[in-house]
Amino acid sequence: MYAPRVFVSMIGTLAVFAIATYFLSHSLTTALVETAICAVLLQIGYFAGILFMVRKAEKERRSTLTDSAGVLGSVSARNDDKAVGIPAGGLNRSEPFKH
């Protein structure tokens, strides 16, 4: 979810919702109140979507770490190691650094 795109879409949705509510109720106050409620509901949905994506990414990361720990299980790891057996095959490497 790209935040600027979500916010522009949300503003467009709220504008259409406000216009439709105004024409249905013929009351500016009702249209503004219902549009504000709709904005809060949209923000709750956006927040829930972000939480879902973070949780999904965390599960995938844990799964990758568990799978790589099984592959690297024969190598004894020290307790003070910060990195836990993440395969480095997918890393894009540039030319070596020159000192």
Side-chain angles (χ1 to χ4, degrees), residues 57-72 84-87:
E58 177 66 17
K59 280 185 177 181
E60 289 175 2
R61 186 182 73 82
R62 287 181 188 253
S63 174
T64 301
L65 289 176
T66 303
D67 292 345
S68 65
V71 171
L72 299 174
V84 180
I86 299 173

Side-chain angles (χ1 to χ4, degrees), residues 11-28 30-32 34-35:
I11 290 170
T13 301
L14 289 173
V16 170
F17 182 83
I19 291 168
T21 304
Y22 177 75
F23 282 117
L24 290 173
S25 68
H26 297 291
S27 170
L28 186 60
T30 302
L32 290 176
E34 289 183 3
T35 302

Side-chain angles (χ1 to χ4, degrees), residues 1 7 10 16-17 31 44 48 64 81 90 98:
M1 290 182 164
F7 292 134
M10 185 181 75
V16 170
F17 182 83
I44 290 170
T64 301
D81 284 344
K98 295 181 182 180

Side-chain angles (χ1 to χ4, degrees), residues 50-94:
I50 295 296
L51 284 179
F52 174 76
M53 288 178 15
V54 168
R55 183 174 177 192
K56 182 179 172 185
E58 177 66 17
K59 280 185 177 181
E60 289 175 2
R61 186 182 73 82
R62 287 181 188 253
S63 174
T64 301
L65 289 176
T66 303
D67 292 345
S68 65
V71 171
L72 299 174
S74 61
V75 178
S76 61
R78 297 186 323 245
N79 289 338
D80 62 343
D81 284 344
K82 299 287 183 195
V84 180
I86 299 173
L91 297 175
N92 293 329
R93 299 193 181 227
S94 62

